[in-house]
Amino acid sequence: MLDEIKITRAIIDTYFKKLIDALESEVIIVGAGPSGLTAGYYLGKEKIKTTIFERNLRPGGGMPGGGMMFNQMVIQKEAKEIFEELEISLEEYEANYFTADTLEALGILTAKCLQTGTKIFNLITCEDVLIREEKICGVVINWTSVEEAHLHVDPLTVRSQYVIDASGHQAEVVRIVEKKIGQRLFTPTGGIIGEGPMWAETGERTILENTKEVYHNLFVCGMAANTVFGGPRMGPIFGGMFLSGRKVAQLIKERRKIS
Ligand code: 48H
């Protein structure tokens, strides 16, 4: 006998347990695109308590869309070992050009990220940050549906030692911080410099250089890193996103050792 009320209770009970446990994390990641999911995977692997908030119904960000809706992605040799570790199938197209099915990559990366213990909350948007003594120490969240319906509903707050902005082209978290604190980011101008025009080779290099701390305890990875520090976009080559996610996880791991 299946009872509808038991089904409902099981969902509510287990969801709220998960949410209450996520009120305090070591790391909060905003955005479950390729860079955020990769960061979540590597942090989780280190047993660093990590929570990802994703605005959309599904994780993956720009991954399933591939290039112009053709659901294939290209990665370069530097990112190959990450795909091999995750066991995502790769085909060598030409020297240094490997292709993967974006849906396979998205499915496996999401599953492996969750299996490390990192939690992902979809349908939740980060709309503000928590700052104490000039340090980022959490984010303010609300249902995406509240944002979309323009409802006047106050948000809730979750705390963490570190926040990663993995929100893609818009660099939404850093933008919020810039608005709140003024031109005091760790960029050459103190503000968000903005993304440059398409240049795959340079974009993939600078994304790694730009994956770093942008304000006290706030790190940026993925496309957001080039938006904040002024690197070019790179089109549908995704190796840099995976490498950037791994790098930000490494940076936080090292930071924990010294603090
Ligand atoms: C909660 C949010 C919020 C918010 C955004 O865009 P993404 O895929 O980001 P990356 O950096 O991991 O990957 C970038 C890649 O997909 C891409 O766009 C490339 C390579 N472009 C090159 C080019 O030339 O165009 O994912 C970001 C995720 C999305 O799922 C958003 O829904 C989510 O972040 N998000 N979630 N609160 N405020 N803002």
Side-chain angles (χ1 to χ4, degrees):
M1 274 285 283
L2 283 172
D3 175 42
E4 290 81 358
I5 300 306
K6 278 194 188 154
I7 295 170
T8 305
R9 185 177 293 121
I11 289 172
I12 294 175
D13 254 0
T14 53
Y15 183 86
F16 278 95
K17 229 174 253 160
K18 197 162 64 171
L19 187 60
I20 286 170
D21 186 56
L23 294 183
E24 295 189 278
S25 305
E26 262 194 84
V27 183
I28 288 173
I29 301 174
V30 177
S35 67
L37 288 170
T38 307
Y41 167 75
Y42 281 105
L43 288 164
K45 225 177 114 182
E46 293 295 327
K47 303 282 167 253
I48 299 173
K49 187 178 176 187
T50 303
T51 304
I52 305 182
F53 293 102
E54 166 53 52
R55 168 182 282 141
N56 274 329
L57 177 57
R58 55 135 188 91
M63 253 195 299
M68 217 181 94
M69 294 193 195
F70 304 154
N71 64 2
Q72 287 289 112
M73 62 163 80
V74 172
I75 65 147
Q76 61 278 54
K77 62 175 182 312
E78 288 80 1
K80 198 167 162 257
E81 63 182 16
I82 300 180
F83 277 64
E84 284 167 354
E85 175 175 344
L86 292 166
E87 298 178 302
I88 299 169
S89 321
L90 273 182
E91 274 180 43
E92 185 162 12
Y93 183 70
E94 269 185 31
N96 199 28
Y97 294 80
F98 298 87
T99 60
D101 183 299
T102 62
L103 298 179
E104 185 194 332
L106 157 60
I108 292 179
L109 178 58
T110 306
K112 295 257 164 104
C113 173
L114 287 164
Q115 282 167 356
T116 65
T118 290
K119 297 288 184 295
I120 304 174
F121 292 89
N122 56 335
L123 294 165
I124 292 182
T125 294
C126 162
E127 61 164 62
D128 203 349
V129 293
L130 213 58
I131 304 180
R132 292 289 181 278
E133 293 162 0
E134 309 224 324
K135 289 191 181 90
I136 303 294
C137 54
V139 301
V140 177
I141 53 169
N142 213 331
W143 295 113
T144 300
S145 48
V146 164
E147 179 194 43
E148 287 187 350
H150 305 290
L151 299 177
H152 185 165
V153 178
D154 272 3
L156 292 173
T157 306
V158 283
R159 196 152 57 201
S160 63
Q161 267 128 295
Y162 306 102
V163 173
I164 301 174
D165 183 345
S167 68
H169 289 269
Q170 293 308 314
E172 290 198 19
V173 183
V174 181
R175 215 168 279 286
I176 291 164
V177 174
E178 183 191 38
K179 208 164 128 194
K180 301 275 158 136
I181 65 158
Q183 307 276 299
R184 292 195 290 129
L185 302 173
F186 303 162
T187 63
T189 61
I192 293 174
I193 295 171
E195 161 193 313
M198 178 94 80
W199 189 352
E201 171 72 26
T202 306
E204 286 291 272
R205 178 175 47 77
T206 57
I207 201 115
L208 283 181
E209 294 162 13
N210 294 335
T211 297
K212 54 188 170 187
E213 194 170 15
V214 60
Y215 189 64
H216 305 285
N217 295 356
L218 172 63
F219 291 74
V220 64
C221 73
M223 197 57 226
N226 271 3
T227 296
V228 170
F229 288 97
R233 66 188 301 189
M234 68 297 291
I237 174 142
F238 279 76
M241 301 303 139
F242 285 75
L243 290 162
S244 170
R246 184 175 69 176
K247 179 178 173 186
V248 79
Q250 186 62 31
L251 292 176
I252 288 179
K253 190 180 148 197
E254 282 158 18
R255 168 62 72 82
R256 281 167 91 234
K257 275 193 216 143
I258 50 172
S259 7

